[in-house]
């Protein structure tokens, strides 16, 4: 295997693998740029109906490559990677109009945890752990963690996790809602995520994209704002062949088939 990012396709499911196992898939510039470019491409790819995000080796992703980062510390803008890379990457992942499942095998720390939290669903195993590592190196949060984490666990718990920067093991992550499902064997994390992605890939993917849009607005604005977004989303979904055909199938007690159109 070569390159910082691997992309594999199987029947509508695209598996995106961060491929720097020697550094626990830490994020250097090449990997950050490859992730963003891939997510932007998949957003407009009709053959992609669901995405699995994972890491090669024994970790999901431990965040920023600090060895690369050290070289920037003597410059005028040591954290310009937030503006240049992390913010565009976070937006590309969050706005991907396809279901995204993170197969979180091993550690997900710092920006790596941020990528998992930006995914729609997260599968973990016994070795899975999260670490809000930012404060350990004198930094604030990035990669949308300040936005995703309070929405997932509440403001008080988010403050605890970010300020104390203590590891969150798999069972606690499941309890907090930071994992959707916890499997018994780390070797089954990726297959379980791909199985779930295949299930979603067979569903109404346009509707899924609109549901993601609704959820991104639902808890941040007013009721009127949410209703406006729902109106727009239902207008899009209601015009699809998937909606028309599945409604007829439901009425006729048949199994619906969805084509993403």
């Amino acid at each position: 295997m070569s390159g910082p990012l691997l992309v594999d396709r199987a029947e509508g499911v695209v598996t995106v693998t961060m491929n720097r196992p020697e550094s626990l898939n830490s994020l250097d510039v090449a990997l950050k740029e490859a992730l963003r470019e891939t997510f932007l491409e998949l957003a407009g790819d009709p053959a992609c109906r669901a995405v699995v995000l994972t890491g090669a080796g024994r970790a999901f992703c431990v965040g920023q490559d600090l060895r690369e980062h050290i070289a920037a510390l003597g410059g005028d803008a040591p954290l310009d990677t937030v503006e240049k890379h992390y913010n565009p990457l976070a937006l590309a992942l969050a706005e991907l109009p396809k279901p995204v499942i993170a197969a979180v095998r091993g550690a997900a720390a710092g920006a790596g945890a941020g990528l998992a939290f930006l995914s729609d669903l997260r599968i973990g195993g016994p070795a899975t752990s999260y670490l809000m590592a930012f404060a350990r190196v004198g930094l604030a949060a990035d990669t949308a963690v300040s936005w995703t984490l309070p929405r997932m666990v509440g403001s008080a718990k988010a403050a605890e996790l970010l300020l104390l920067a203590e590891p969150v093991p798999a069972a606690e992550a499941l309890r907090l809602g930071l994992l959707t499902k916890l499997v018994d064997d780390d070797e089954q994390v990726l297959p379980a995520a791909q199985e779930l992605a295949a299930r979603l890939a067979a569903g109404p993917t346009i509707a899924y994209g609109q549901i993601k849009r609704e959820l991104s607005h639902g808890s941040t604005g007013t009721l009127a704002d949410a209703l406006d977004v729902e109106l727009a989303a239902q207008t899009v979904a209601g015009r699809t062949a998937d909606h028309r055909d599945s409604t007829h199938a439901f009425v006729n007690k048949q199994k619906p088939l969805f084509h993403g159109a």
Side-chain angles (χ1 to χ4, degrees):
M1 297 190 294
S2 61
L5 194 69
L6 306 177
V7 179
D8 298 297
R9 297 171 178 267
E11 298 181 354
V13 175
V14 179
T15 299
V16 177
T17 304
M18 294 174 280
N19 187 40
R20 301 188 70 222
E22 72 286 349
S23 68
L24 302 181
N25 300 311
S26 62
L27 295 159
D28 63 359
V29 168
L31 180 52
K32 285 179 278 191
E33 291 181 343
L35 281 165
R36 176 176 177 267
E37 291 168 3
T38 298
F39 292 146
L40 290 175
E41 290 172 3
L42 294 178
D45 181 358
C48 170
R49 295 174 60 83
V51 176
V52 173
L53 176 62
T54 192
R58 59 190 178 92
F60 178 74
C61 173
V62 296
Q64 172 64 36
D65 184 332
L66 293 180
R67 293 184 182 277
E68 181 185 75
H69 178 61
I70 285 174
L73 292 179
D76 295 332
L79 267 300
D80 64 353
T81 189
V82 174
E83 181 179 7
K84 290 181 178 179
H85 304 115
Y86 284 118
N87 286 358
L89 169 55
L91 285 173
L93 177 52
E95 295 176 354
L96 188 62
K98 319 286 175 76
V100 181
I101 298 93
V104 189
R105 176 177 173 177
L115 295 177
F117 297 161
L118 284 164
S119 302
D120 300 303
L121 303 169
R122 288 154 294 281
I123 309 298
T128 297
S129 66
Y130 291 108
L131 177 63
M132 302 303 103
F134 304 101
R136 289 194 174 195
V137 289
L139 287 176
D142 59 37
T143 322
V145 168
S146 67
W147 188 80
T148 55
L149 192 57
R151 291 162 65 95
M152 297 171 76
V153 301
S155 297
K157 192 65 178 182
E160 176 187 334
L161 295 177
L162 285 164
L163 295 175
L164 298 183
E166 296 176 346
V168 182
E172 178 69 359
L174 180 65
R175 187 186 72 81
L176 291 174
L178 299 176
L179 287 176
T180 307
K181 181 178 181 180
L182 180 59
V183 298
D184 295 331
D185 183 352
D186 290 313
E187 295 297 327
Q188 293 304 310
V189 171
L190 179 56
Q194 291 173 324
E195 181 181 355
L196 181 56
R199 171 184 167 186
L200 291 167
T205 49
I206 292 177
Y208 290 154
Q210 293 304 313
I211 289 170
K212 290 182 64 169
R213 179 185 173 197
E214 290 175 334
L215 291 174
S216 70
H217 290 86
S219 64
T220 57
T222 65
L223 172 60
D225 293 334
L227 293 174
D228 286 341
V229 172
E230 288 181 355
L231 172 60
Q234 287 293 50
T235 299
V236 171
R239 291 172 176 166
T240 62
D242 277 350
H243 168 62
R244 182 184 64 249
D245 295 345
S246 62
T247 301
H248 284 295
F250 182 85
V251 170
N252 291 294
K253 298 182 179 180
Q254 299 170 343
K255 182 179 179 180
L257 295 175
F258 298 102
H259 304 285

